[in-house]
Amino acid sequence: MILTCAIIDDEPWAVRLLEAYVKKVGNLDLVATFSSAVEAVKGLEDTTVDLIFCDIQMPELDGLRFAQMMGDSPSRIVFTTAFDKYALEGWKVEALDYLLKPIAYADFLFAVQKAERWFSHRHPALPLATDSIFVKTDYKLMRVRLADILYVEGLKDYVKIYLADGGRPVTCLTSMRTVEAALPAPSFLRTHRSFIVNMDRVNVLERGQVVFGEKIIPVSDSYREAILQYVNDRMLQGRGG
């Protein structure tokens, strides 16, 4: 499950730390950072994120008041603060978690895992009942058979779907998160923030990378375990001699 997130903090060093932590976690997609809650109120008017890492002590509008203003928003808040005295107030506004600065990566990861459990319970995955998807490209809808996909590459605001026939990739204006949700696991696995691979089409894994002819697909640390698990489940076990 990929969760979109935003960071709100008036301290630049705290924003940089959280940005670094987000990059380490493969299933977080950082949408925006804000230096104040006032800025965040405006910035999130037309954009909804799953998770908000929000400082409490900020000028003009503090994090607790910001959480109250969010009202019925589906976003969940994880408070980040240097003062543990706000813990009770945090629970009153139904914060998902409360991280004390300086934030340790282990505590951050625990909060993310808690968020995963919450969103998984609220939005259980639906079984895929098709062997193809429709993709909007060049002002038309194009059917793409899942079995024909080699890999998907994310390029900022759009993605390219590379097919086994070696022809021109299918380009569409969407996010990797949307594509990943539409493709069934474990046949399709994310190997990198910018790549999703059809594992049923993979013939060569070399030096921790997926090889499609001359194209090398990187496997980042965040996704390595899932790839190795897929391979180990299908590994031919030899007998010692």
Side-chain angles (χ1 to χ4, degrees):
M1 174 179 288
I2 304 297
L3 299 178
T4 56
C5 66
I7 298 170
I8 309 172
D9 203 305
D10 62 329
E11 298 176 306
W13 69 267
V15 173
R16 290 194 296 269
L17 178 65
L18 289 173
E19 286 178 329
Y21 284 172
V22 168
K23 289 179 181 179
K24 286 185 177 183
V25 181
N27 62 335
L28 284 182
D29 181 12
L30 182 60
V31 173
T33 61
F34 304 100
S35 59
S36 72
V38 173
E39 182 184 335
V41 170
K42 298 177 181 178
L44 295 175
E45 279 182 345
D46 301 318
T47 302
T48 300
V49 296
D50 298 316
L51 204 55
I52 300 175
F53 297 96
C54 182
D55 188 21
I56 291 182
Q57 277 201 330
M58 292 183 287
E60 296 185 83
L61 180 64
D62 66 42
L64 292 170
R65 181 59 182 153
F66 168 80
Q68 293 171 347
M69 291 175 61
M70 293 294 289
D72 296 329
S73 169
S75 302
R76 297 308 308 273
I77 293 179
V78 174
F79 280 125
T80 60
T81 181
F83 305 96
D84 56 8
K85 64 181 181 179
Y86 292 112
L88 180 59
E89 287 84 352
W91 298 126
K92 286 181 179 179
V93 294
E94 299 183 350
L96 186 69
D97 210 340
Y98 183 96
L99 298 177
L100 195 62
K101 296 178 180 179
I103 301 168
Y105 178 66
D107 294 336
F108 175 85
L109 189 59
F110 182 81
V112 173
Q113 292 170 344
K114 183 184 292 187
E116 288 176 337
R117 292 191 295 270
W118 191 89
F119 281 100
S120 295
H121 177 73
R122 188 175 183 183
H123 304 292
L126 297 176
L128 188 70
T130 182
D131 62 353
S132 62
I133 56 175
F134 278 97
V135 176
K136 188 175 183 179
T137 180
D138 295 330
Y139 303 102
K140 61 185 178 183
L141 289 173
M142 177 178 177
R143 182 191 291 272
V144 178
R145 293 182 66 248
L146 300 184
D148 292 338
I149 298 175
L150 287 181
Y151 62 93
V152 181
E153 182 178 12
L155 298 165
K156 198 174 181 181
D157 297 327
Y158 63 97
V159 302
K160 285 188 174 182
I161 302 174
Y162 291 81
L163 304 177
D165 62 11
R168 182 181 177 183
V170 178
T171 302
C172 56
L173 188 64
T174 189
S175 68
M176 288 290 280
R177 183 168 71 102
T178 299
V179 175
E180 185 175 25
L183 298 176
S187 293
F188 289 86
L189 293 179
R190 200 155 182 173
T191 67
H192 186 273
R193 289 180 66 87
S194 300
F195 290 97
I196 299 172
V197 168
N198 183 355
M199 296 301 295
D200 295 338
R201 285 281 187 175
V202 173
N203 293 321
V204 178
L205 285 165
E206 182 179 358
R207 297 177 183 177
Q209 299 172 317
V210 178
V211 180
F212 284 116
E214 296 182 356
K215 179 66 177 180
I216 304 298
I217 307 295
V219 179
S220 67
D221 291 341
S222 301
Y223 302 98
R224 192 176 306 278
E225 184 176 350
I227 300 297
L228 291 177
Q229 185 63 54
Y230 178 94
V231 173
N232 289 336
D233 288 345
R234 293 157 180 81
M235 182 76 73
L236 179 64
Q237 301 295 333
R239 296 178 61 185

